[in-house]
């Protein structure tokens, strides 16, 4: 029996089979010949086709991400355009006094219940939004709004409790649902925008637009109520808003908008946000202290196997690959949870956050009290038999506040993007103005509005009250626009929902305190035997105190900005 080696030894020529027994034998027309040019062309065409397919697939995914991002942005704006229905409270709040026979304390209790439900659960809703996406939150908003306004409508329709109507506590319960719906819808929209656009150069504008839309919601809804859903007077004229129909309209509209957000709202490329957050913590040295990042991978391969793997080995390899993928997915989720928890601890442990939140409490509380009690303030300025003209009606003032607030949010958001300082400083010479400068100026305008209202000027000349509303709307809107932008700049957007939720909670306490102060001063001015108060004494003391509160807030923010251990000292370009 002759081997291939013997064949080689006979003729001194190495056959191709001597080199590789697994190689195909050459064809009859010359296997040692180089591949034909046509074969090379076919290979090149195949490679080029793969490259083109890869480029097309990459562009398709990029376009899909862009479409998803901007559809989410549009849905967020729609949500915010509807979510601020509680700001139209002044349109019907005074009717709770005259139609349902509530006292001023009870009317304020309804608005306070909504405020507390809107602000106190915000950290919880923000936590859910960061960890489970904004969609579930929008779905919650739909059910809170739908059930809340439906219950409020039928409670109002039943009449005064003293005349057989539903108990006062049912109205409180209804507005708790409305407040929680407001929080869910607003937070799901703003968090989506912050995470999708927070890393770009227009993050201020991307946040300012939905926040401005939130300010507009009260305006268009109050106009619908007063111009479309109104009661007819005895002579066929236009009377007060039909509260029953208005509540049904709001409930149906907000339920539908919440369902749209539950489908459309989506955070794009969230994995990249998490990786960036991990890198930031890694550079700070915090990751080395965590045992999470030193865990061994139980599916790490210990050997590479052989080329000639058996069927059983391939089966085990495929099983290991599937287990590895499941492990990787679980690790990504655990990494996200670890990062968000670490960011929350870092945020709560930062003393400047407490200065920021303290100032927010001292400014937004008086602002909320002013907006919620506009209807009664107007009434006190026009004792019987006089009545407020259309230019000084509650609807007019709600519209003024909404328009000035919206304009302020858009302007401050845009200018803060264009003029904010950069770190490191830009080599080009340009005008740089900190977001804190805008925040302090806005608070000064709001404080000026309170001091004007407390002075004898407005009581003597009620026609100047729209000026107070314009100043208050401008200052209040700018503060609510700039504060979340500052949070996203100083502490990042990875944990934005939770961080902003913590700070957004404080207006609940502020609104409760200042609405109570307003109620006490108002009730003290009511004459014996009457239920309503007339004149400047009904509110002057409250707004002197609110003006002082605004000045204290400015001091706290200035310290967080330029004080010891503040943002300037840390090199944060805010």
């Amino acid at each position: 029996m002759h081997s291939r080696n013997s064949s080689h030894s006979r003729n001194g020529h190495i056959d191709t089979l001597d080199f590789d027994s697994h190689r195909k034998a050459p064809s009859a027309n010359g296997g040692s010949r180089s591949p034909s040019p046509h074969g090379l062309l076919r290979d090149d065409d195949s490679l080029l086709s793969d490259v083109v397919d890869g480029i097309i697939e990459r562009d398709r995914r990029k376009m899909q991400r862009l479409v998803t991002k901007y559809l989410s942005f549009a849905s967020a704006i729609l949500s915010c355009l509807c979510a601020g229905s509680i700001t139209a409270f002044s349109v019907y709040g005074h009717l709770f006094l005259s139609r349902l026979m509530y006292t001023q304390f009870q009317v304020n209790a309804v608005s306070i219940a909504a405020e507390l439900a809107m602000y106190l659960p915000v950290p919880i809703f923000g936590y859910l939004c960061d960890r489970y996406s904004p969609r579930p939150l929008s779905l919650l908003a739909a059910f809170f709004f739908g059930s809340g306004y439906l219950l409020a409508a039928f409670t109002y329709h039943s009449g005064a409790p003293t005349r057989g109507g539903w108990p006062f506590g049912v109205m409180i319960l209804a507005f708790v649902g409305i407040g929680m719906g407001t929080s869910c819808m607003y937070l799901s929209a703003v968090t989506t925008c912050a995470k999708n656009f927070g890393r770009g150069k227009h993050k201020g504008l991307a946040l300012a637009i939905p926040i401005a839309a939130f300010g507009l919601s009260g305006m268009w809804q109050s106009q619908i109520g007063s111009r479309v859903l109104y009661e007819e007077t005895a002579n066929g004229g236009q009377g007060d808003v039909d509260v029953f129909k208005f509540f049904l309209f709001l409930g149906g509209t907000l339920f539908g908008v919440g369902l749209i957000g539950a489908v459309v709202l989506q955070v794009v490329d969230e994995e990249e946000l998490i990786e960036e957050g991990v890198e930031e913590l890694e550079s700070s040295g915090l990751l080395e202290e965590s045992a999470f990042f030193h865990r061994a991978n139980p599916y790490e391969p210990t050997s590479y196997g052989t080329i000639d793997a058996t069927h059983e080995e391939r089966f085990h390899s495929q099983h290991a690959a599937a287990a590895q993928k499941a492990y990787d997915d679980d690790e990504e989720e655990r990494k996200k949870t670890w990062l968000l928890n670490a960011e929350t601890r870092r945020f709560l442990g930062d003393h400047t956050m407490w200065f920021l939140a303290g100032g927010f409490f001292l400014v937004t509380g008086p602002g909320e009290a002013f907006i919620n009690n506009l209807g009664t303030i107007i009434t006190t300025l026009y004792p019987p038999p006089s009545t407020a003209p259309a230019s000084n009606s509650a609807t007019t003032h709600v519209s003024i506040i909404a328009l000035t607030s919206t304009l302020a949010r858009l302007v401050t958001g845009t200018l803060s993007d264009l003029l904010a300082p950069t770190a490191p400083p830009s080599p080009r010479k340009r005008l740089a103005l900190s977001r804190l400068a805008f925040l302090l100026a806005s608070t000064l305008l709001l404080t000026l509005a309170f001091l004007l209202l407390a002075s004898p000027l407005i009581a003597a000349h009620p026609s100047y009250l729209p000026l107070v509303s314009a100043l208050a709307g401008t200052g209040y809107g700018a503060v609510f626009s700039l504060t979340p932008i500052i949070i996203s700049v100083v502490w990042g957007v990875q944990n934005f929902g939770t961080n902003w939720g913590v700070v957004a909670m404080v207006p609940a306490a502020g609104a409760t305190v200042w609405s109570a102060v307003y109620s006490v001063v108002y009730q003290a001015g009511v004459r014996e035997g009457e239920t309503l108060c007339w004149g400047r004494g009904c509110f002057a003391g409250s707004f002197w105190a609110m003006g002082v509160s605004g000045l204290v807030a400015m001091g706290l923010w200035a310290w967080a900005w330029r004080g010891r251990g503040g943002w300037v000292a840390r090199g944060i370009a805010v």
Side-chain angles (χ1 to χ4, degrees):
M1 182 176 180
H2 296 282
S3 67
R4 286 191 298 271
N5 289 337
S6 61
S7 172
H8 160 60
S9 61
R10 280 198 313 270
N11 53 29
H13 173 70
I14 300 176
D15 192 87
T16 54
L17 293 178
D18 291 332
F19 179 74
D20 185 356
S21 61
H22 295 286
R23 188 172 176 179
K24 289 183 179 180
S27 61
N29 59 356
S32 60
R33 193 174 57 191
S34 299
S36 69
H38 297 292
L40 287 175
L41 285 175
R42 281 195 299 272
D43 291 343
D44 290 344
D45 287 345
S46 177
L47 179 61
L48 182 60
S49 176
D50 290 342
V51 172
V52 170
D53 288 345
I55 293 173
I56 292 174
E57 178 65 17
R58 183 195 64 192
D59 290 345
R60 186 190 67 80
R61 290 180 180 177
K62 184 178 179 181
M63 180 58 67
Q64 185 179 25
R65 287 196 298 270
L66 282 175
V67 170
T68 301
K69 180 184 289 188
Y70 284 100
L71 274 178
S72 297
F73 187 61
S75 178
I77 293 174
L78 176 63
S79 293
C80 286
L81 269 174
C82 298
S85 60
I86 193 65
T87 59
F89 187 86
S90 297
V91 174
Y92 52 82
H94 63 287
L95 296 177
F96 286 1
L97 285 168
S98 58
R99 304 285 178 84
L100 300 183
M101 309 302 292
Y102 291 171
T103 65
Q104 183 62 48
F105 276 116
Q106 287 178 312
V107 174
N108 272 24
V110 173
S111 67
I112 288 171
E115 300 280 352
L116 291 174
M118 182 165 60
Y119 290 120
L120 288 182
V122 172
I124 298 172
F125 293 148
Y127 179 92
L128 295 175
C129 194
D130 283 332
R131 283 151 181 81
Y132 302 106
S133 87
R135 288 176 174 177
L137 220 56
S138 188
L139 185 62
L140 272 178
F143 286 101
F144 281 138
F145 270 130
S147 59
Y149 274 117
L150 189 66
L151 188 59
F154 283 97
T155 303
Y156 181 87
H157 191 64
S158 70
T162 55
R163 298 174 183 172
W166 290 7
F168 170 69
V170 180
M171 187 65 83
I172 291 286
L173 179 62
F175 272 81
V176 167
I178 292 167
M180 294 176 75
T182 303
S183 177
C184 287
M185 188 169 285
Y186 171 80
L187 195 59
S188 64
V190 173
T191 301
T192 300
C193 294
K195 293 194 174 186
N196 281 342
F197 298 95
R199 293 173 295 169
K201 61 181 179 180
H202 299 301
K203 56 177 168 282
L205 184 60
L207 276 176
I209 290 176
I211 293 172
F214 183 82
L216 276 178
S217 56
M219 183 198 73
W220 75 262
Q221 288 163 352
S222 64
Q223 293 296 328
I224 292 288
S226 61
R227 298 180 184 276
V228 180
L229 303 173
Y230 60 84
E231 299 173 336
E232 289 189 2
T233 59
N235 59 4
Q238 181 176 320
D240 287 312
V241 60
D242 188 324
V243 179
F244 177 68
K245 292 180 180 178
F246 188 50
F247 283 171
L248 290 180
F249 163 74
L250 290 175
T253 301
L254 290 161
F255 181 77
V257 171
L259 292 183
I260 292 172
V263 174
V264 178
L265 290 177
Q266 185 175 342
V267 177
V268 179
D269 296 331
E270 189 175 17
E271 299 81 6
E272 294 181 11
L273 283 177
I274 299 302
E275 289 299 329
E276 286 181 9
V278 170
E279 288 174 7
E280 289 176 9
L281 292 180
E282 197 171 33
S283 63
S284 68
L286 291 177
L287 293 190
E288 295 177 2
E289 302 170 9
S290 173
F292 174 88
F293 290 90
H294 298 284
R295 298 175 66 222
N297 183 349
Y299 300 103
E300 190 75 35
T302 54
S303 64
Y304 294 96
T306 63
I307 295 176
D308 295 323
T310 65
H311 175 76
E312 185 179 355
E313 288 172 336
R314 284 195 298 271
F315 172 79
H316 286 299
S317 176
Q318 292 170 358
H319 178 73
Q324 178 66 52
K325 184 179 184 305
Y327 174 81
D328 290 342
D329 292 342
D330 180 62
E331 287 298 287
E332 284 298 318
E333 189 62 31
R334 291 181 70 253
K335 182 190 292 186
K336 175 181 175 180
T337 302
W338 183 91
L339 172 70
L340 296 180
N341 290 339
E343 291 284 0
T344 302
R345 288 192 297 270
R346 185 168 72 98
F347 179 71
L348 294 176
D350 191 336
H351 71 281
T352 60
M353 184 279 291
W354 296 102
F355 286 117
L356 180 68
F360 201 57
F361 164 84
L362 293 171
V363 169
T364 56
E368 296 280 353
F370 171 74
I371 293 171
N372 290 337
N373 292 287
L374 252 177
T376 56
I377 292 170
I378 294 169
T379 304
T380 62
L381 297 175
Y382 294 93
S386 61
T387 57
S391 60
N392 240 359
S393 67
T395 302
T396 300
H397 282 273
V398 169
S399 298
I400 290 172
I401 291 173
L403 285 172
T404 54
S405 173
T406 299
L407 186 62
R409 295 174 200 219
L410 291 174
V411 170
T412 53
T414 303
L415 290 180
S416 69
D417 280 341
L418 296 175
L419 301 179
T422 58
S426 173
R428 292 188 302 113
K429 288 186 177 180
R430 68 179 184 92
L431 176 63
L433 199 59
S434 172
R435 293 179 176 91
L436 266 296
F438 287 107
L439 186 63
L440 294 175
S442 303
T443 307
L444 187 60
L445 290 179
L446 185 59
T447 302
L448 180 60
F450 295 150
L451 297 178
L452 271 176
L453 186 57
S455 71
L457 176 66
I458 301 302
H461 304 281
S463 59
Y464 290 161
L465 187 60
L467 173 62
V468 172
S469 293
L471 288 172
T474 301
Y476 183 79
V479 167
F480 252 98
S481 176
L482 290 165
T483 304
I485 294 172
I486 290 169
I487 288 173
S488 70
V489 170
V490 177
W491 292 283
V493 297
Q494 292 87 355
N495 203 40
F496 176 83
T498 304
N499 294 349
W500 171 227
V502 170
V503 175
M505 179 176 64
V506 301
T512 302
V513 170
W514 290 107
S515 291
V517 169
Y518 177 85
S519 295
V520 168
V521 174
Y522 182 94
Q523 288 296 138
V526 176
R527 295 174 183 173
E528 188 175 352
E530 296 185 358
T531 57
L532 299 178
C533 180
W534 311 102
R536 174 173 168 262
C538 304
F539 55 80
S542 305
F543 287 99
W544 282 124
M546 293 179 192
V548 174
S549 177
L551 295 175
V552 175
M554 292 175 66
L556 292 178
W557 285 337
W559 183 259
W561 180 25
R562 292 191 170 274
R564 182 181 301 174
W567 299 323
V568 170
R570 298 186 211 170
I572 299 174
V574 70

